[in-house]
Amino acid sequence: MANPADKPDPNLTSPDEVELREDPEDINGGEEEEEDEYEGEDDDEATASKPQSREDAAASRVNAQNLFRRMGVAPVPVRVHDVIVKGNEKTKDHVIEAEVDGVRHATTLQELLEAANVANSNLRALDIFDSVKITLDAGPPELPDTTNVVVKVVESQSPLAAEIITSTKSQARSSSLEGSLKYKNIFGHGDIWDTSLAYGCDSSGEVGLGLYLPRLRGRPSPFTSRVYLSTQDWIKFSSYRERALGVSLGVLLSKNHELGYTLAWRNLIDPTQMASRAIRRQIGHSLVSDLKYSFKVDERNSALRPTRGYSFVSTSQIGGLAPDSRTLRFLRQEFDVKYAVPLGFYRSALNFGVSGGITFPWGSGYKSRASSVSERFFLGGNISPVCSLEGPSALWGFKTRGLGPNEPRREVEDENQSGGDAYERDFVGGDVAVTAYADLSFDFPLRWFRERGIHGHVFACAGNMAELSGNKYRNFTLNYCHILKKQEHDRAKSGFFLTFSTPSS
């Protein structure tokens, strides 16, 4: 909460967000003659519809100026008498009142304006209203220093919304085309139902059906659920294809915390019959039942090109929360720390960060069991470590799944079957991984580049991973970009890269 004595942001009282009624002095008591004038008004709506004379309009402007002058000097005491909701024909009152509940706790007009602005943003974020307007009206004349908060909404005229986007996700080898169709507020609880279809250039795809509820039985955080059927094709890199049918639940979702549960039936197949021994041992069906918690703080001024601030993400995951013998039992921990320091010229900034992760099985005989390839870490691909906000995955210069532990594939009788795009080894991922980077970004001196958001940067990055079983972690070494060192079977390329990156959620 901002200091009530600070001068309020004038944007808080813009007509589209928060509005003070004609006589703002009435909100905090005002003069005696102004109170008497308001007492004679029997119908707020009728009064608001009457045309104002020039003298009345001038008086209102003077009163508003006096009020803001007082707000800039000291807190103006006020108490919310009532919250009135208008315009909602389908949406339940409690859905709207839950988003504006913060205004009831305001004790000064400065706090009330700030809380009303937050409430306005919360209601717009529900994505079920075409417009939202919050008005601060004078309270009953017999209750001085009170106000009524009037929330007027216009529900979406078209509840259907379609969207088509392209994206590149972490560890994906190519971009994907995603389409979704949403139906909003079917039952009046702010519920959003969606169906989605995603298809990647690498033959991966996903079909899903989801539900979003802003409130569930009075809970302070949204609830999400999703049923999905997905296919991930890693034949080119690791000789397997992954298929999964499952459901995911988001039971806690806030600015800093996220808690979710996933239950899925997963199947790994080897269509080429060329997989390495490590991959063949994991071919077949398995049950995934895991709980995942993330804590995130992001105080950077931009997710695309940060020039100051810091971010921290920690993700903990436990799998095996089911009695079935085919349930994957594993523990996984990731972290990501980033920091940006402005240098004071050409909007230049030094960004640096480090991320790491570890995963290992648990349960009977865990020391002799290898972790699931689907839960291991893979590095490489055209993902910017500056923009991404997750565990170790991005490493400039290396291709997708282009470094780390690997094993030879089965020999092919006809060498022509391999083609130009096939590799002789499977990359099997690591149980422990770490990456680090330093990046110097700066504006070009030409205005043409600055106006179009084009900037330059110089970077250095390092990273690697290793397996924990069989003491293989002792061979853990670093690989540097622009490639200063690489292992025998790493696939890397030196030179210039042009990439398009989007910030993660």
Side-chain angles (χ1 to χ4, degrees), residues 201-251:
C201 299
D202 56 355
S203 300
S204 63
E206 180 176 323
V207 179
L209 174 65
L211 166 64
Y212 172 86
L213 281 174
R215 295 286 187 271
L216 179 63
R217 296 185 178 273
R219 293 176 56 87
S221 65
F223 170 81
T224 62
S225 65
R226 188 163 203 81
V227 179
Y228 63 90
L229 174 64
S230 67
T231 300
Q232 296 290 332
D233 192 339
W234 299 112
I235 293 177
K236 179 178 178 180
F237 307 97
S238 304
S239 294
Y240 73 90
R241 182 178 292 149
E242 177 183 324
R243 294 173 179 172
L245 172 64
V247 57
S248 61
L249 304 175
V251 295

Side-chain angles (χ1 to χ4, degrees), residues 31-313:
E31 300 297 330
E32 184 64 31
E33 60 271 15
E34 293 175 337
E35 291 184 359
D36 295 337
E37 179 182 357
Y38 187 85
E39 289 174 3
E41 299 175 354
D42 296 329
D43 190 345
D44 292 345
E45 294 297 327
T47 302
S49 63
K50 293 180 181 179
Q52 279 189 317
S53 66
R54 293 183 178 179
E55 293 78 7
D56 292 338
S60 296
R61 286 194 296 269
V62 172
N63 288 338
Q65 292 173 358
N66 292 336
L67 178 59
F68 281 108
R69 190 177 299 111
R70 290 184 56 193
M71 292 170 60
V73 175
V76 178
V78 71
R79 181 172 60 86
V80 176
H81 175 257
D82 196 9
V83 176
I84 303 171
V85 179
K86 298 181 179 180
N88 55 320
E89 298 179 358
K90 179 186 292 185
T91 310
K92 309 298 182 183
D93 283 352
H94 69 83
V95 175
I96 300 175
E97 291 171 353
E99 302 298 334
V100 303
D101 186 64
V103 302
R104 298 183 182 274
H105 307 292
T107 58
T108 66
L109 189 55
Q110 290 89 337
E111 293 180 357
L112 180 57
L113 288 174
E114 182 178 349
N117 193 41
V118 172
N120 187 286
S121 299
N122 291 343
L123 290 173
R124 292 177 183 272
L126 294 179
D127 199 25
I128 60 175
F129 302 118
D130 286 338
S131 67
V132 178
K133 185 176 182 180
I134 298 180
T135 302
L136 306 183
D137 202 356
E142 65 273 11
L143 298 177
D145 299 338
T146 62
T147 181
N148 290 330
V149 178
V150 181
V151 183
K152 187 174 181 179
V153 299
V154 177
E155 295 176 329
S156 296
Q157 298 300 313
S158 177
L160 283 173
E163 184 179 39
I164 298 178
I165 61 173
T166 60
S167 64
T168 301
K169 297 183 179 180
S170 173
Q171 300 184 10
R173 80 181 197 191
S174 62
S175 299
S176 63
L177 180 66
E178 302 178 15
S180 65
L181 181 64
K182 297 181 180 180
Y183 199 98
K184 307 175 184 178
N185 211 18
I186 299 179
F187 301 107
H189 293 280
D191 46 301
I192 297 180
W193 301 77
D194 76 275
T195 57
S196 63
L197 175 64
Y199 180 78
C201 299
D202 56 355
S203 300
S204 63
E206 180 176 323
V207 179
L209 174 65
L211 166 64
Y212 172 86
L213 281 174
R215 295 286 187 271
L216 179 63
R217 296 185 178 273
R219 293 176 56 87
S221 65
F223 170 81
T224 62
S225 65
R226 188 163 203 81
V227 179
Y228 63 90
L229 174 64
S230 67
T231 300
Q232 296 290 332
D233 192 339
W234 299 112
I235 293 177
K236 179 178 178 180
F237 307 97
S238 304
S239 294
Y240 73 90
R241 182 178 292 149
E242 177 183 324
R243 294 173 179 172
L245 172 64
V247 57
S248 61
L249 304 175
V251 295
L252 175 63
L253 181 62
S254 66
K255 179 181 179 181
N256 302 116
H257 306 276
E258 184 174 347
L259 179 64
Y261 173 76
T262 299
L263 179 65
W265 188 253
R266 179 188 293 167
N267 184 23
L268 301 185
I269 61 176
D270 173 22
T272 65
Q273 301 298 311
M274 293 170 49
S276 61
R277 180 175 299 180
I279 298 297
R280 292 200 306 270
R281 284 198 293 259
Q282 302 202 28
I283 296 300
H285 295 273
S286 60
L287 180 65
V288 180
S289 174
D290 67 74
L291 194 65
K292 184 176 181 179
Y293 169 73
S294 296
F295 173 75
K296 178 174 69 175
V297 176
D298 191 356
E299 298 295 334
R300 300 174 299 170
N301 62 336
S302 172
L304 288 175
R305 186 192 168 186
T307 57
R308 65 175 181 274
Y310 67 93
S311 65
F312 173 77
V313 176

Side-chain angles (χ1 to χ4, degrees), residues 410-464:
R410 286 182 175 179
E411 294 185 2
V412 183
E413 295 182 0
D414 184 0
E415 295 183 357
N416 294 327
Q417 292 181 11
S418 62
D421 292 333
Y423 301 103
E424 297 179 355
R425 305 183 72 87
D426 284 339
F427 287 83
V428 299
D431 301 313
V432 58
V434 63
T435 61
Y437 77 92
D439 177 271
L440 174 63
S441 63
F442 52 88
D443 277 346
F444 292 111
L446 297 179
R447 186 176 65 178
W448 187 90
F449 290 102
R450 296 196 300 269
E451 291 176 347
R452 288 158 178 78
I454 300 175
H455 68 279
H457 69 135
V458 179
F459 64 87
C461 57
N464 205 350

Side-chain angles (χ1 to χ4, degrees), residues 313-324:
V313 176
S314 173
T315 302
S316 305
Q317 191 173 1
I318 177 172
L321 306 180
D324 193 284

Side-chain angles (χ1 to χ4, degrees), residues 10-46:
N11 293 329
L12 295 178
T13 57
S14 63
D16 291 335
E17 295 185 357
V18 183
E19 178 183 291
L20 295 175
R21 280 296 176 109
E22 294 180 358
D23 293 321
E25 289 290 348
D26 289 346
I27 294 178
N28 63 303
E31 300 297 330
E32 184 64 31
E33 60 271 15
E34 293 175 337
E35 291 184 359
D36 295 337
E37 179 182 357
Y38 187 85
E39 289 174 3
E41 299 175 354
D42 296 329
D43 190 345
D44 292 345
E45 294 297 327

